[in-house]
């Protein structure tokens, strides 16, 4: 089967306009059952190759095995460690390794398309409906400015404030929402906990916090064209002052620059910290540790707006249209719904670790609701996805990985007192412009 | 037999010898010479990330970008500091361990066997082990320092810019010193006991015997050990990556980490290759300097 514009269906409309239109979801809902069932079987008879990072590899193989057992092609699943996944993936693709479907970080996705390592999903049957089914807030991660669909979701999450409800109640404090309130609450709690605030501030992750904290103060870092507009916002320096003060005054432990998130979950579980900002699903890890304070930890929206992250599935180069279609069937199953219209794969990830999907229907599906432990406030989580989070579309631009790699050094210099907040703004702006400009160290 | 003799003549010998070394030569060319050549060629091009071609020839532009970047000079400074600490400590501690294990004492065999353990452990595993050992909340290093009364509180060694680099150096030294110790112990075991006994009878004290007999005897082994240490120092990646990934900030960002980031994360192949060429040349110069220095002293 040759994929042409004639087979693109909804894609042949002005896709960008269509996807932005509110009526798209309703249209998708009416078309969905037929689309899901009508594309269940692929004509491809070969084996598909899939590459994933090392999160519950047995579950991955089991999920994919079920897809194959339903009459679909066999899938050869390879799993490699999370640490160094991007370098390993890039090296394999650069070396000509053919991978039909692979996990990827969202910030790599446009770069991979530009380099010819990933194909756009434009025109594949049901792809526009998949996008329309998403929260509008999530679409910018999967659809680029030109309207090309560059990826499907693997999982999604929002940055949340995990807090110790008992510590706050004992101190007579309300759940903080602004950065200033977090500072004040942390100061008040220092008599209970030496360093009340923890976050995953290692070099590689500072970039997520950059957006989380800026969004918390309703500052958008980049416009849709990728211009670093945060530099023009007078509130930005205040965010960096807050960040530096939290570290310099010891409200956040000095070891945060190299601590891993598992250790930080344990700090919350043991009662050695009162606040922990990271992805919503870390509530699962804190609770499952069953420490003396685990049961007192709850989650709240991290401010009026927060960062919505999501890792993605991308389609590699295929030898034939049949293979491409078969890969797409697997992508739909893995990144959207199965042929029965169920969030089978996402539901499994929800059960396993509290991971979410960027679809409104995910949060109202009774099976999904049953999969989340009671301590999750799914209505609040869904609301955060829907209207209180931002994917920062610039994070998928092709130059972004270069910028992302530089943020850690700059933020660490700020935290260590080696740079002022104003200098940090300058350095981050220069890093963004340098990344857009081409070769820089 | 005449024919056979002809066949074993000088030319035939060379041909036969070439055939014998051919497999090894091919492996070296494919795995060492070609990648080295390719890296040099890449360093002169703006190579596209996709690897579809060499990209446009840019001459020494990649090197100009590198040498004009403060990131490079900061990383070079970190690399040099790391290298000096690594080479000096690995060699001195290795020598001390070798001399200790060359004495007669109960359990010497076991102690010698234990010396091999760090050397037999992969660099990456050493990095992970030391990351936990130096942890600011649960690390054994803090526990030991507290027991010894050297500190009153747990210290986040790897997040502190003043201690992160020394701790990564110590972690790397822990392995390399055992390697140095093994080689130097082998050298010490060839030292005739009569030399030391005669010097002792002549009234030479410990230092005189060490500086006039032991050290000169060990010089050939010391050259080998030091050259290895210099090369390992400049090319060290695994331990630093596992422990700090170059952080906090750029405190431990040695050149090999910078190369990794440019080549494999940012896919700036040309720039990363130019950095690799620079590091390769620095390591080569470092190794050759040590060889010349030691050999010259030996000749004098």
């Amino acid at each position: 089967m040759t994929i042409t514009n004639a087979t693109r269906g909804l894609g042949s409309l002005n896709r960008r306009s269509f996807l932005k239109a509110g009526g798209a979801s309703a249209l998708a809902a009416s078309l969905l059952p037929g689309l899901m069932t009508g594309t269940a079987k692929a004509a491809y008879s070969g084996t598909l190759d899939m590459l994933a990072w090392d999160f519950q590899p047995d579950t991955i193989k089991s999920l994919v095995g079920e897809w194959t057992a339903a009459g679909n092609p066999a899938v050869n699943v390879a799993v490699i460690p999370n640490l160094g996944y991007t370098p390993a993936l890039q090296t394999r693709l650069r070396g000509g390794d053919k991978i039909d479907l692979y996990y990827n970080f969202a910030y790599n996705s446009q770069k991979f398309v530009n380099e010819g390592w990933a194909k756009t999903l434009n025109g594949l049957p049901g792809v526009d409906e998949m996008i329309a089914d998403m929260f509008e807030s999530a679409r910018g991660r999967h659809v680029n400015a030109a309207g090309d669909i560059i990826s499907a979701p693997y999982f999604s999450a929002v940055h949340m404030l995990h807090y110790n409800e008992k510590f706050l109640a004992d101190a007579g404090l309300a759940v903080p929402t602004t950065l200033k309130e977090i500072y004040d609450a942390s100061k008040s709690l220092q008599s209970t906990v030496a360093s009340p605030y923890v976050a995953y501030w290692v070099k590689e992750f500072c970039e997520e916090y950059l957006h989380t904290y800026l969004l918390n103060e309703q500052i958008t870092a980049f416009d849709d064209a990728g211009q670093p507009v945060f530099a023009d916002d007078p509130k930005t320096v205040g965010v960096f002052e807050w960040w530096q003060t939290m570290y310099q005054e010891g409200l956040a432990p000095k070891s945060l620059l190299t601590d891993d998130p598992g250790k930080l979950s344990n700090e919350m579980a043991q009662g050695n910290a009162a606040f922990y900002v990271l992805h919503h699903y870390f509530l699962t890890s804190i609770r499952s540790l069953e420490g003396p304070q685990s049961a007192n930890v709850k989650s709240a929206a991290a401010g009026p707006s927060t960062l919505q992250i999501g890792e993605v599935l991308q389609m590699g180069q295929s030898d034939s249209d049949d293979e491409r279609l078969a890969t797409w069937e697997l992508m739909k199953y893995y990144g959207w719904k199965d042929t029965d219209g169920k969030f089978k794969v996402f539901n499994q990830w929800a059960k396993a670790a509290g991971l979410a999907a960027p679809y409104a229907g995910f949060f109202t599906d009774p099976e999904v609701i049953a999969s989340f432990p009671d301590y999750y406030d799914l209505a609040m989580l869904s609301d955060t996805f829907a209207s209180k989070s931002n994917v920062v579309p610039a994070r998928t631009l092709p130059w972004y990985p270069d910028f992302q790699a530089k943020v850690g050094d700059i933020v660490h210099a700020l935290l260590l007192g080696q740079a002022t907040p104003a200098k940090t703004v300058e350095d981050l702006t220069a890093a963004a412009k340098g990344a857009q400009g081409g070769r820089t160290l | 037999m005449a024919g056979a003799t002809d066949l074993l003549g000088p030319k035939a010998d060379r041909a036969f010898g070439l055939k014998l070394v051919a497999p090894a030569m091919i492996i070296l060319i494919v795995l060492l010479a070609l990648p080295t050549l390719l890296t040099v060629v890449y360093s002169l091009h703006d190579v596209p990330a996709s690897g579809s071609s060499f990209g446009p020839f840019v001459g020494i532009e990649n090197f100009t970008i590198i040498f004009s970047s403060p990131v490079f000079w900061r990383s070079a400074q970190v690399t040099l500091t790391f290298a000096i600490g690594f080479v000096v400590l690995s060699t001195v501690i290795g020598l001390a361990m070798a001399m200790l294990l060359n004495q007669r004492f109960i359990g010497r065999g076991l102690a010698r066997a234990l010396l091999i353990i760090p050397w037999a452990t992969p660099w990456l595993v050493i990095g992970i082990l030391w990351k936990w050992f130096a942890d600011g909340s649960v690390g054994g290093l803090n526990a030991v320092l507290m027991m010894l009364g050297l500190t009153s509180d747990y210290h986040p060694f790897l997040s502190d810019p003043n201690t992160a680099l020394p701790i990564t150096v110590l972690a790397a030294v822990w392995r390399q010193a055992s390697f140095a110790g093994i080689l130097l112990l082998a050298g010490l075991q060839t030292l005739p006991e009569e030399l030391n006994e005669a010097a002792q009878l002549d009234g030479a004290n410990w230092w005189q015997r060490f500086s006039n007999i032991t050290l000169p005897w060990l010089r050939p082994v010391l050259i080998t050990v030091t050259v290895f240490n210099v090369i390992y120092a400049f090319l060290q990646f695994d331990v630093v990556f596992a422990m700090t990934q170059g952080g906090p900030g750029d405190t431990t960002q040695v050149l090999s980490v910078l190369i990794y980031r440019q080549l494999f994360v940012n896919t700036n192949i040309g720039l990363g290759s130019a950095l690799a060429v620079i590091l390769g040349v620095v390591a080569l110069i470092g190794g050759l300097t040590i060889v010349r220095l030691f050999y010259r002293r030996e000749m004098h």
Side-chain angles (χ1 to χ4, degrees), chain A residues 388-423:
Chain A
K388 291 177 180 163
S389 60
N390 191 325
V391 298
V392 187
R395 293 184 81 229
T396 59
L397 291 175
W399 53 267
Y400 200 84
D402 269 21
F403 172 72
Q404 195 269 348
K406 287 172 183 162
V407 174
D409 284 356
I410 297 168
V411 170
H412 275 196
L414 169 82
L415 298 178
L416 294 168
Q418 296 163 351
T420 63
K423 175 79 165 47

Side-chain angles (χ1 to χ4, degrees), chain A residues 83-84 87 90-91 94 111 115 117 203-204 247 254-255 257-258 260 263 401-402 405 409 412 416 439-441, chain B residues 46-47 49-50 61-62 131 135 137 156 158-159 161 245-249 253 260-262 264-267 269:
Chain A
L83 184 66
Q90 290 184 150
T91 304
R94 198 170 180 276
K111 173 184 171 182
E115 296 299 339
W117 296 331
K203 280 172 75 170
E204 287 66 29
Y247 189 73
K254 297 295 179 198
S255 61
L257 307 191
T258 47
D260 63 70
K263 181 184 166 186
D402 269 21
D409 284 356
H412 275 196
L416 294 168
R439 284 169 293 152
T440 53
L441 282 186
Chain B
D46 182 10
V47 187
S50 66
E61 197 177 293
N62 285 324
K131 185 179 179 189
D135 186 89
S137 306
L158 296 178
S159 294
Q245 300 195 12
Q253 188 160 271
Y260 167 81
R261 187 200 272 189
Q262 287 298 324
F264 300 109
V265 179
N266 297 351
T267 49
I269 310 296

